[in-house]
């Protein structure tokens, strides 16, 4: 049988696994594998922009009320980081985009660092687990708006 792709693949696998991947999109996959998985939705996706020493690609899934971004380090063809704003994706502890940061802290522990995005949104990163969250800004909300996974450090 053919593997599910696009929205079907994202509906079939919604697990956020720190240090490994988000749903069917896994760290270490080649960009070609990600495109085969998520599709070439030119009306909404494949946008490419530089973020320092890496390039990111964004797929918008209006059917799932969110997006997936994959980041490829310079000189590489493999995915090094994945972000999602799709609220139906869940961690093994049940947290998701829309959960409170306190819920993520309860699940993931206190070994996190605090930072911020380029636009000033607060972030918490659990480097040893390979997961981060971005908080709503500037509303001073503790609501998570993006969950990202990368390699454990």
């Amino acid at each position: 049988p053919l593997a599910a792709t696009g929205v079907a693949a994202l509906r079939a696998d919604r697990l956020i696994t720190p240090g490994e991947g988000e749903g069917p999109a896994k760290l270490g996959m080649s960009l070609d594998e990600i495109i085969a998985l998520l599709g070439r939705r030119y009306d909404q996706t494949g946008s490419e922009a530089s973020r320092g020493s890496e390039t990111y690609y964004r797929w918008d899934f209006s059917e799932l009320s969110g997006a997936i971004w994959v980041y490829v380090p310079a000189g590489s063809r493999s995915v090094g980081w994945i972000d999602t704003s799709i609220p139906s994706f869940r961690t093994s502890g049940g947290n998701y985009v829309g959960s409170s940061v306190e819920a993520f802290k309860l699940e993931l522990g206190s070994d996190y660092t605090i930072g911020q995005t380029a636009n000033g949104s607060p972030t918490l990163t659990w480097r040893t687990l390979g997961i981060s969250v971005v908080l709503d800004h500037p509303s001073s909300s503790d609501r998570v708006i993006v969950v990202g996974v990368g390699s454990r450090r």
Side-chain angles (χ1 to χ4, degrees):
L2 294 174
T5 60
V7 172
L10 298 175
R11 285 188 171 137
D13 181 357
R14 300 177 184 186
L15 184 63
I16 297 170
T17 307
E20 294 181 22
E22 295 188 336
K26 305 299 182 197
L27 299 171
M29 290 177 89
S30 72
L31 184 56
D32 292 337
E33 289 172 317
I34 290 287
I35 291 170
L37 174 69
L38 299 179
R40 285 194 177 272
R41 297 166 52 142
Y42 292 111
D43 57 324
Q44 298 173 332
T45 60
S47 63
E48 184 177 329
S50 177
R51 184 179 87 159
S53 62
E54 49 191 12
T55 302
Y56 75 84
Y57 303 82
R58 177 182 172 145
W59 283 261
D60 288 307
F61 293 98
S62 58
E63 311 90 326
L64 302 173
S65 304
I68 288 184
W69 297 261
V70 298
Y71 298 84
V72 178
S76 175
R77 294 281 298 160
S78 297
V79 174
W81 190 269
I82 304 166
D83 281 338
T84 190
S85 63
I86 298 173
S88 61
F89 278 46
R90 299 279 193 270
T91 64
S92 61
N95 285 302
Y96 57 95
V97 169
S99 289
S100 72
V101 70
E102 294 303 321
F104 274 91
K105 288 177 184 178
L106 283 172
E107 177 182 352
L108 302 171
S110 60
D111 186 22
Y112 58 85
T113 56
I114 297 172
Q116 66 181 26
T117 64
N119 70 359
S121 294
T123 63
L124 278 73
T125 302
W126 289 263
R127 283 184 172 75
T128 58
L129 299 177
I131 188 168
S132 72
V133 297
V134 178
L135 305 184
D136 199 4
H137 180 76
S139 70
S140 300
S141 164
D142 75 342
R143 189 175 70 87
V144 171
I145 59 170
V146 172
V147 178
V149 298
S151 61
R152 296 176 178 100
R153 296 183 208 155

